[in-house]
């Protein structure tokens, strides 16, 4: 949509890379990807900043739960420059393929992370650019899941289990 066209070649392994010069920020744009056999079109694409909202229940807490001025806040969520993608907990092909970015509207807002939304709203007001929130929060998970392996090794409460995990030899494969 912004007048840029690029081509690339696919390696025998199926890998490819393409760098496209984009506008500084804005949108919405349409992006079309053509291959020898098919065409994919992405509509309503925004260019801006993407932030990660990750953690336990305090980050997962949705706008549909009790928040101050809840009805008014949800009704006033009307901003095409704020989007949220909530990562499904089961990443099987069906769930991840049906997940999508949601525009900040009263219809979508009840499922948004409240902390993520209010953070995005403040950033959007201050920076005047589109803001995307990638929500990977999951309430009720063990805190160790959100702690770096290096820190788990340092803490007496978790170092034993962390060393056992490292003994399996798969940690380096996970990190690479």
């Amino acid at each position: 949509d912004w007048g840029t066209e690029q081509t690339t070649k696919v390696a025998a392994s199926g890998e490819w890379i393409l760098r496209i010069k984009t506008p500084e920020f804005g949108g919405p744009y349409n992006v079309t990807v053509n291959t020898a056999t098919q065409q994919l079109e992405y509509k309503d694409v925004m260019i801006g900043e993407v932030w990660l909202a990750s953690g336990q229940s305090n980050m997962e807490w949705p706008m549909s739960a009790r928040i101050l001025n809840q009805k008014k806040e949800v009704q006033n969520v009307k901003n095409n420059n704020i989007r949220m993608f909530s990562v499904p907990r089961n990443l099987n092909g069906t769930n991840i393929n049906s997940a999508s970015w949601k525009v900040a509207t009263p219809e979508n807002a009840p499922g948004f992370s409240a902390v993520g939304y209010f953070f995005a709203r403040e950033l959007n007001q201050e920076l005047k650019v589109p803001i995307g929130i990638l929500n990977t929060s999951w309430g009720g998970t063990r805190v160790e899941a959100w702690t770096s392996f290096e820190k788990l090794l340092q803490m007496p409460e978790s170092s034993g289990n962390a060393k056992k995990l490292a003994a399996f030899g798969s940690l380096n494969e996970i990190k690479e």
Side-chain angles (χ1 to χ4, degrees), residues 1-168:
D1 247 9
W2 56 88
T4 299
E5 186 173 311
Q6 296 283 75
T7 60
T8 191
K9 295 193 184 251
V10 178
S13 65
E15 295 177 0
W16 59 274
I17 189 167
L18 182 65
R19 299 187 197 290
I20 300 173
K21 185 170 176 60
T22 61
E24 204 171 315
F25 62 87
Y29 297 104
N30 293 327
V31 177
T32 305
V33 178
N34 292 306
T35 72
T37 59
Q38 71 182 99
Q39 177 175 307
L40 300 173
E41 187 166 2
Y42 301 94
K43 296 180 180 184
D44 195 29
V45 175
M46 303 300 285
I47 297 176
E49 295 198 6
V50 176
W51 289 76
L52 180 64
S54 189
Q56 294 179 299
S57 56
N58 57 341
M59 185 61 73
E60 182 184 35
W61 194 265
M63 298 276 290
S64 62
R66 289 174 298 210
I67 60 172
L68 293 176
N69 304 314
Q70 180 184 21
K71 287 182 181 179
K72 181 180 175 187
E73 289 290 355
V74 169
Q75 288 172 350
N76 289 330
V77 175
K78 296 174 185 147
N79 190 333
N80 192 50
N81 288 318
I82 297 176
R83 314 284 173 99
M84 189 170 296
F85 184 93
S86 294
V87 176
R89 292 185 183 158
N90 182 334
L91 297 178
N92 67 34
T94 302
N95 288 345
I96 196 66
N97 288 335
S98 63
S100 63
W101 286 96
K102 304 289 185 205
V103 177
T105 66
E107 295 76 30
N108 293 330
F112 281 12
S113 155
V115 172
Y117 169 73
F118 289 118
F119 178 71
R121 184 176 76 178
E122 187 169 328
L123 279 175
N124 177 251
Q125 289 170 352
E126 290 293 320
L127 302 176
K128 310 283 191 257
V129 300
I131 303 294
I133 298 290
L134 182 57
N135 179 16
T136 65
S137 53
W138 190 336
T141 55
R142 296 179 58 101
V143 72
E144 291 85 357
W146 305 98
T147 308
S148 73
F149 186 75
E150 291 76 13
K151 189 64 175 179
L152 292 173
L153 281 170
Q154 294 173 8
M155 298 184 323
E157 300 85 357
S158 57
S159 65
N161 285 334
K163 287 176 184 172
K164 286 179 188 176
L165 178 62
F168 283 105

